[in-house]
Amino acid sequence: MPELPEVETVRRDLQAHLVGRTIESVSIGREDILRSTDCARLVAALTGHEVLSVGRLGKNLIVELSGDTVVLVNLGMTGQFFVCEACAEIDEHAHLVAELSDGMRLVFRDIRRFGHIELARAQSVGESFTLRNVGVDAMSDEFTAERLEEMLAGRSALLKNALLDQRRVAGLGNIYVCEALFRARISAVARCGELAPEEVQRLHRAIREVLRESIAAEGTTISDYVTGRGVPGSFQERLRVYGREGERCRRHGCTGTITRIVQSNRPTFHCPECQSSGGMNRGESY
DNA sequence: CGGACAACCTGGTTGC
DNA sequence: TGCAACCAGGTTGTCC
């Protein structure tokens, strides 16, 4: 579920509502969500410590605590990480609950448990399990059109797969890759190496634009995602292709129909009519 | 290198 | 109604 805009929304909420608070107590319901640590060590690292900052790299949250410790959180598909009133209801999917010095509560909840929490030393976060394979963040200044061009140059891989690969550009998931390709009018079946420089520029702009707009809307809620305050986002209303199979293409002047295909076992939504760039010379049009 | 696939999980939806 | 099959925003590892 959570891609860059959702994780950035959570980060902003936690930056506002967690930083400066001290964690007074922690209870962990399931040890299998922990990486590179165990209940006892995580409880010790959190209890009595102040939250100094909440950062993000790609889809990962980086919570810096007093005591030279960093807690890394990846939300997987259904993970939620939010601050709520201490009286709010807690169910069996809340795997970590921390009481805060201001009387609020921090909850990590994850139905499918694809998410995880890792404990790392502040000076070696880069070598952590969670961050060691993460590339340049899609919203950072280092992610330029030139950088994107380098990533794609000469490669035969499916463009969509390359954009989903967190080791290259970090933060995009299935929804925003579909949306960015649509906005850039690039074929959903294009290969990395066949994009013209101008198409790479367009793709770069489209990626930044869709991520920025979604962050402004506090992310996309399809089923489980909530912000760091526990409420849904609203960008689902503004998706142009994702989940819109069978609908008329929303591009002005295009009479195409949004189509769902499967690539690498994951659904791709696109308009075969107006997403044509990058796929012109492959003889795959019909 | 690239892609296909399984695995890790639960729960909602679909179809017989 | 019941139940099996299938589907889902992610990541990692294996195999070919």
Side-chain angles (χ1 to χ4, degrees), chain A residues 117-133:
Chain A
I117 294 176
E118 178 173 12
L119 188 60
R121 308 288 315 171
Q123 54 268 39
S124 59
V125 267
E127 285 101 75
S128 65
F129 173 86
T130 305
L131 298 183
R132 68 185 169 197
N133 289 324

Side-chain angles (χ1 to χ4, degrees), chain A residues 127-221:
Chain A
E127 285 101 75
S128 65
F129 173 86
T130 305
L131 298 183
R132 68 185 169 197
N133 289 324
V134 180
V136 51
D137 187 87
M139 284 307 276
S140 75
D141 292 340
E142 288 94 88
F143 180 61
T144 58
E146 292 69 37
R147 196 73 185 272
L148 178 60
E149 174 114 54
E150 286 167 25
M151 287 176 194
L152 304 180
R155 297 180 54 210
S156 64
L158 200 56
L159 174 59
K160 187 185 177 220
N161 285 351
L163 295 174
L164 286 171
D165 185 347
Q166 304 297 302
R167 294 171 302 185
R168 299 193 155 84
V169 52
L172 295 171
N174 206 31
I175 293 178
Y176 298 108
V177 166
C178 293
E179 294 294 314
L181 290 171
F182 175 78
R183 287 177 181 231
R185 305 192 315 276
I186 292 170
S187 166
V189 297
R191 301 272 156 181
C192 295
E194 63 192 10
L195 262 58
E198 169 220 320
E199 292 169 336
V200 176
Q201 290 276 352
R202 233 158 59 209
L203 178 59
H204 178 263
R205 238 176 288 130
I207 290 169
R208 299 294 280 239
E209 181 187 80
V210 72
L211 295 178
R212 182 172 43 75
E213 288 178 20
S214 182
I215 291 168
E218 302 197 293
T220 299
T221 296

Side-chain angles (χ1 to χ4, degrees), chain A residues 217-252:
Chain A
E218 302 197 293
T220 299
T221 296
I222 291 174
S223 60
D224 299 289
Y225 159 72
V226 292
T227 71
R229 304 306 310 288
V231 301
S234 67
F235 198 70
Q236 60 279 7
E237 298 158 18
R238 304 234 245 301
L239 297 174
R240 298 184 189 168
V241 288
Y242 190 88
R244 299 200 181 278
E245 184 184 16
E247 293 183 25
R248 269 277 315 274
C249 178
R250 293 160 116 87
R251 175 166 280 117
H252 184 68

Side-chain angles (χ1 to χ4, degrees), chain A residues 78-93:
Chain A
T78 54
Q80 304 171 332
F81 198 38
F82 59 90
V83 169
C84 62
E85 303 286 334
C87 57
E89 204 155 313
I90 295 299
D91 69 7
E92 74 271 29
H93 300 300

